[in-house]
Amino acid sequence: MAMAVAQHRVSTSGSSSINKHLDASGKYVRYTAEQVEALERVYAECPKPSSLRRQQLIRECPILSNIEPKQIKVWFQNRRCREKQRKESSRLQTVNRKLSAMNKLLMEENDRLQKQVSQLVCENGYMRQQLHTVNASATDASCDSVVTTPQHSLRDPTNPAGLLSIAEETLAEFLSKATGTAVDWVQMPGMKPGPDSVGIIAISQSCSGVAARACGLVSLEPTKIAEILKDRPSWLRDCRNLEVFTMFPAGSGGTIELVYTQVCERSLSGSGAGPSTAAAAQFVRAEVLPSGYLIRPCEGGGSIIHIVDHLNLEAWSVPEVLRPLYESSKVIAQKMTIAALRYVKQIAQETSGEVVYSMGRQPAVLRTFSQRLSRGFNDAINGFNDDGWSIMNCDGNEDVIIAINSSKSFSCTSNPNNALPFVGGVLCAKASMLLQNVPPAVLVRFLREHRSEWADFNVDAYTAASLKAGTYAYPGMRPTRFTGSQIIMPLGHTIEHEEILEVIRLEGHSLVQEDAFVSRDIHLLQICSGIDENAVGACSELVFAPIDEMFPDDAPLIPSGFRIIPLESKPDSLTTNRTLDLTSSLEVGPATNHSSGDVPSSQNSRSVLTIAFQFPFDSSLQDNVATMARQYVRSVISSVQRVAMAISPSGLSADVGPKLSPGSPEALTLAQWICQSYSYHIGAELLRSESLGSDSILKNLWQHQDAILCCSLKSLPVFIFANQAGLDMLETTLVSLQDITLDKIFDEPGRKALCSDFAKLMQQGYAYFPAGICMSTMGRHVSYEQAVAWKVLEADESTVHCLAFSFVNWSFV
């Protein structure tokens, strides 16, 4: 395998006391060591000084008095050029090392594949020989068949000799998986190797259980990497417990350890949610087959690491709907193998200073916050008895499960030394639901960016106030108005942006006049992961917790949030252009051509959504908080279902209501009616004739430059459809559109004009309105040159389906 290596030669100044530099005219200017030292000091402070600063430098430094300002300008230019060359040379050397290591990995992979081919050829020849032997002896009735069972020596794991024997066999089998042909590895979909990739990722094609392998280059020493990976709870979020039972030295300075690991994930259904299943075991053993890490030093620094995870998760023991989750090597690759490699790469980048975080926080502190959020959320979902959780008044058939943990206590952040713990503890309301044809990454991105669509800020205020003051106020008892806007302040992210840590500020204002100038803002610490639609088998999460605005390192965290786990493998042709405004789903429909790659080729994907919200409570308010929590989670579920319907390519079910999803057949039919009715009443084309094909009419209507909106014909008309320009003009989303009534968007003159011309509109089928002003949902004024309204007729051209409005050349005032 050939590889191009780029080299740069950088000239450096000598160590003599006199340095030569070219000026603008090409002549050499001699600088003494003292002059260079003075210029270097200025360069360290300001690499590009102004003309006034250079003149000031000559005045302040007598040793530079014999040098002209123009020559000093040229010196700084040359100095910046040398610095740029040095950085470029360093970058190319780093790329060269990565390419060299990647080349070595690819050569090893090539050797492994050649061995596998040779092995398959030998097995093929052996099978042919056996088949020929069987055929030759098929007529020999006197042939006896003998079945032998291999006898394995019994090994006692309670003594060092037994453990040593087990360890030697485990090591040999692990190495055959890491670098040999013991497992038939295939490339992980969507994970192509390269100098900027996390590494070479492969999954098992056919073997017992599920397995994944990763190879990569890490700029850390092998001993440091081994130390990081042994601390499994630091990077594997599902690792609940790790305990070393036995440890004794082995040959070559190594050690052998007998380790007990508890990796936990739990579904809400059939796992101790109520008294009917209380007797079921809360922990189920899975078999870990020989796995591990092979770490070797790399020429030029760093290490090459091979990671193998091979497990038998006993998929037969879980409900059928969840079985694909335990039969997928892609899920293991994302949750364990790739996670381990990404974590050590993250530590390597932080160690080298390549990662810069905002708000002056150290990387270790931010990692701790992320781990605490994830572990707190996992604990709430799992709700294990030995963690102090117990189910509250559940008959096993509840849609929302309420669990209580009275053993948890959190100190007040305003004065941690003198604060009292919560008297009651923490209450968790949780539920799970099955999603059909909903891209998890798109849903989580929407929930993150449009919090007002599903959250009640007063509930957030209750939790935040409980943490900050150690008091318990009921939502609504603090008269606060929230603007509905949120400000996202990023803190940091992982190397491939697969996880984002941020602070969310929810703006609020007191409604009490004496507190009118007191800020009621709420701050949330939040992590968001799994928002890349190309990540096959990845779990998507949005987890958040109220935090004090001072953001102390030891702040108490009570996490809540969402987790979406895909149950089936995504196809290789994934959605790459789907946006939160749903424009990419416009090409979904009966006559849509899916070859464009904008939508998945399969519409049968399923995923499990788990929702868990935690609330601190006082013992005297336990029942009240439980009632509030159950109602709130049900409200969140309803909102999420509406969002899921809007972003699902499969369209709208009959029981959702009047709102139309742009990807549904109903939306396509409505678009045809809108255009046909416009031509029927007004005698002109709303869209160009070449845009009226059934495949493109909805898309072109959606992308029309004028704002087009449709409202129902009721006593209080509400909007049921809008194109992208209409949503932009109203500053809303498709999810919230059905909550907007027609009268809310017009000012007083506009409402009068509509009322006066409404009879004319219903009689002749259309009406024109002069230039005017309307209002967005955010209270902003919108001007338009002309508005047209017309009746939208159904296919029989006699039934009025709704009213359509077109606002021409609109703009914000």
Side-chain angles (χ1 to χ4, degrees), residues 217-221 224-225 228 302 341-355 367 495:
L217 172 67
V218 181
S219 57
L220 290 174
E221 295 302 316
K224 178 64 174 177
I225 296 176
I228 294 171
L341 185 55
R342 281 174 173 161
Y343 186 78
V344 293
K345 280 180 170 284
Q346 182 80 21
I347 299 294
Q349 286 195 356
E350 293 172 358
T351 304
S352 63
E354 298 178 35
V355 182
R367 280 202 311 275
I495 55 176

Side-chain angles (χ1 to χ4, degrees), residues 771-787:
I773 300 291
C774 62
M775 302 280 290
S776 76
T777 57
M778 303 301 292
R780 289 209 287 174
H781 290 83
V782 181
S783 65
Y784 54 89
E785 293 183 2
Q786 187 186 50

Side-chain angles (χ1 to χ4, degrees), residues 143-160:
C143 178
D144 297 328
S145 91
V146 179
V147 178
T148 60
T149 304
Q151 299 296 321
H152 297 282
S153 60
L154 298 177
R155 302 179 303 274
D156 183 7
T158 60
N159 63 73

Side-chain angles (χ1 to χ4, degrees), residues 112-170:
R112 187 192 67 81
L113 291 174
Q114 288 180 352
K115 292 178 182 178
Q116 186 173 2
V117 170
S118 301
Q119 180 178 344
L120 291 174
V121 170
C122 293
E123 290 178 358
N124 186 35
Y126 175 76
M127 293 299 295
R128 286 177 180 272
Q129 182 180 359
Q130 290 294 105
L131 183 62
H132 181 268
T133 303
V134 170
N135 290 335
S137 59
T139 58
D140 186 1
S142 64
C143 178
D144 297 328
S145 91
V146 179
V147 178
T148 60
T149 304
Q151 299 296 321
H152 297 282
S153 60
L154 298 177
R155 302 179 303 274
D156 183 7
T158 60
N159 63 73
L163 281 179
L164 181 59
S165 176
I166 295 174
E168 289 175 347
E169 292 187 11
T170 301

Side-chain angles (χ1 to χ4, degrees), residues 485-499:
S485 62
Q486 63 176 8
I487 299 175
I488 299 178
M489 298 174 285
L491 287 177
H493 55 77
T494 49
I495 55 176
E496 292 185 318
H497 294 258
E498 71 277 358
E499 182 176 284

Side-chain angles (χ1 to χ4, degrees), residues 5 15 395 415 523:
V5 179
S15 59
D395 59 3
N415 190 353
H523 293 81

